[in-house]
Amino acid sequence: MRWIVITVAVLAALVSLAAWGPGSINAMRLVNAPADPALQPLFDPIQQPLRTERADLHGAEDLEPGPDGRLYASLADGRIMVHEAGGDWVEFANTGGRPLGLSFAPDGSLFVADALRGLLHQTSEGWDVWIGAAPDGPLVFPDDLTVLADGRIVMTDASLRHPYGHHLESFLESEQTGRILLVTGPGDFTELAGGLGFINGVDHDPATGLVYINETWTGRIWRLDPDSGEMSVLIEGLPGYPDNLEFDNATGLIWAAMPSLRSPDLEALHAQPFVKRLVWRWLQIAGLPPLPDRPAMAIAVDRDGHAVYGLTGPVEAQEGTTTALVWNGELWTAGLDRDGMTVFAAPGSGESE
């Protein structure tokens, strides 16, 4: 009997060490709406790209149309490139960090959510740091932003636990520490919402002033009133994890890029934090299971939350797309860890039908 007690005690100690010892994850409970099967027909046709632009430009995490009619891209090496009218891509600026989200203010100046430096504003003398990133500033994972008509900025701090480069740990923990900030000036900001599962891409509708935001780990898009802070779900049950978001003024559609299909096997663990802690230990030994395919994917949703268009490109060896927008009559996509920009026919162009 004594040996049984000792054996059980040792096993319990080992399980506890595996679950809560050094190197363990801070697993949280998260119950998501599953992928909505009614959306699947939008994504069944595989669409072939028209072309790839500049495969030598790596990691265009965000693509942003400028007030000058040109297209801007934030690269992994710190550069911000611009697509000239003649078709050339030229360097516009370099943040010296890792630029992610781009947005232009009403006066035409550029704001950048830089994962390593924070919220930046471009001036004639260089970059002003409006809000710094950790360890010196309060931002942990500055991700995306949109500048409203009155100059206020709505930006996302995707996670307060995991900085840039550690999104996989954030996903496996299913941690919900992301927040939405309203910035009114250098160093001046308030938190509009918190406790979100990797809050990510953001853009606004100039006609209504409403803001739309992707919550990645929940497969959900939110609608936000920046004046009241009131939030409501626009759509959920997306088939992939939404990343960047772009509002198309011409059509009133909200475009969300999805770098990966949902993983039902991993998501099933989100409701069982203790089991997930033990699975994490096994993954540290055996490695990750096969991950879902990561073709170019995007969804277009109208202001009422109805999905009207889905993009699925061919399966590739590259990472998936983190941004998608219609520009100059074509659907442009790019990604955090992709080479170049992959261009598809836009909905209604004839070539995509």
Side-chain angles (χ1 to χ4, degrees):
M1 183 66 179
R2 180 169 173 267
W3 287 108
I4 294 177
V5 172
I6 292 174
T7 300
V8 170
V10 169
L11 289 175
L14 290 174
V15 169
S16 297
L17 183 63
W20 288 283
S24 63
I25 60 172
N26 183 24
M28 298 182 186
R29 178 178 173 81
L30 176 65
V31 179
N32 285 343
D36 184 352
L39 297 177
Q40 189 55 47
L42 291 173
F43 297 90
D44 285 338
I46 305 300
Q47 188 169 334
Q48 297 299 319
L50 300 177
R51 65 186 184 281
T52 296
E53 289 245 348
R54 290 296 298 269
D56 58 317
L57 299 180
H58 180 71
E61 202 272 344
D62 190 21
L63 297 173
E64 183 73 13
D68 55 6
R70 301 185 297 175
L71 186 65
Y72 293 74
S74 54
L75 301 188
D77 60 10
R79 288 181 296 166
I80 296 172
M81 305 293 289
V82 61
H83 187 276
E84 299 280 11
D88 293 332
W89 286 88
V90 299
E91 183 173 339
F92 173 75
N94 193 320
T95 68
R98 199 335 176 177
L100 298 178
L102 309 174
S103 186
F104 288 89
D107 65 3
S109 62
L110 177 63
F111 283 86
V112 179
D114 189 292
L116 305 181
R117 298 192 60 195
L119 173 59
L120 308 181
H121 180 222
Q122 188 182 33
T123 71
S124 59
E125 299 177 356
W127 297 102
D128 282 345
V129 180
W130 274 34
I131 307 174
D136 302 318
L139 301 177
V140 177
F141 197 141
D143 198 322
D144 199 10
L145 75 168
T146 186
V147 186
L148 306 179
D150 59 8
R152 292 178 300 165
I153 299 169
V154 177
M155 74 171 300
T156 55
D157 199 5
S159 168
L160 296 184
R161 280 187 49 76
H162 296 288
Y164 173 75
H166 296 272
H167 58 276
L168 185 57
E169 291 96 322
S170 172
F171 171 73
L172 291 173
E173 287 187 355
S174 61
E175 57 101 357
Q176 301 135 66
T177 63
R179 56 183 180 163
I180 303 168
L181 304 179
L182 182 67
V183 183
T184 54
D188 295 327
F189 66 92
T190 56
E191 184 175 303
L192 292 178
L196 295 159
F198 208 80
I199 198 72
N200 202 326
V202 54
D203 204 354
H204 74 282
D205 178 354
T208 65
L210 293 176
V211 176
Y212 300 95
I213 310 175
N214 286 334
E215 188 181 9
T216 302
W217 301 153
T218 64
R220 179 182 296 151
I221 302 176
W222 290 93
R223 181 196 293 114
L224 166 71
D225 183 336
D227 297 324
S228 66
E230 181 180 350
M231 290 179 65
S232 58
V233 174
L234 180 73
I235 188 173
E236 59 185 352
L238 299 183
Y241 299 107
D243 199 287
N244 277 339
L245 181 149
E246 301 286 345
F247 184 84
D248 183 7
N249 294 333
T251 61
L253 294 179
I254 298 115
W255 282 90
M258 295 181 287
S260 169
L261 288 164
R262 300 271 288 274
S263 175
D265 292 340
L266 290 175
E267 285 191 9
L269 297 173
H270 288 342
Q272 307 174 73
F274 175 71
V275 173
K276 189 159 52 173
R277 285 175 177 272
L278 299 181
V279 170
W280 168 247
R281 288 302 191 191
W282 171 249
L283 294 179
Q284 287 179 307
I285 298 170
L288 288 171
L291 297 175
D293 289 335
R294 289 165 289 179
M297 287 188 68
I299 188 170
V301 181
D302 67 20
R303 293 179 175 98
D304 296 320
H306 301 128
V308 297
Y309 181 78
L311 167 72
T312 304
V315 174
E316 306 172 88
Q318 289 202 91
E319 298 286 336
T321 52
T322 60
T323 191
L325 80 160
V326 174
W327 184 70
N328 279 0
E330 297 176 319
L331 180 57
W332 287 64
T333 69
L336 181 73
D337 199 23
R338 288 175 67 87
D339 295 325
M341 299 83 183
T342 307
V343 184
F344 294 85
S349 66
E351 295 181 71
S352 61
E353 298 173 354

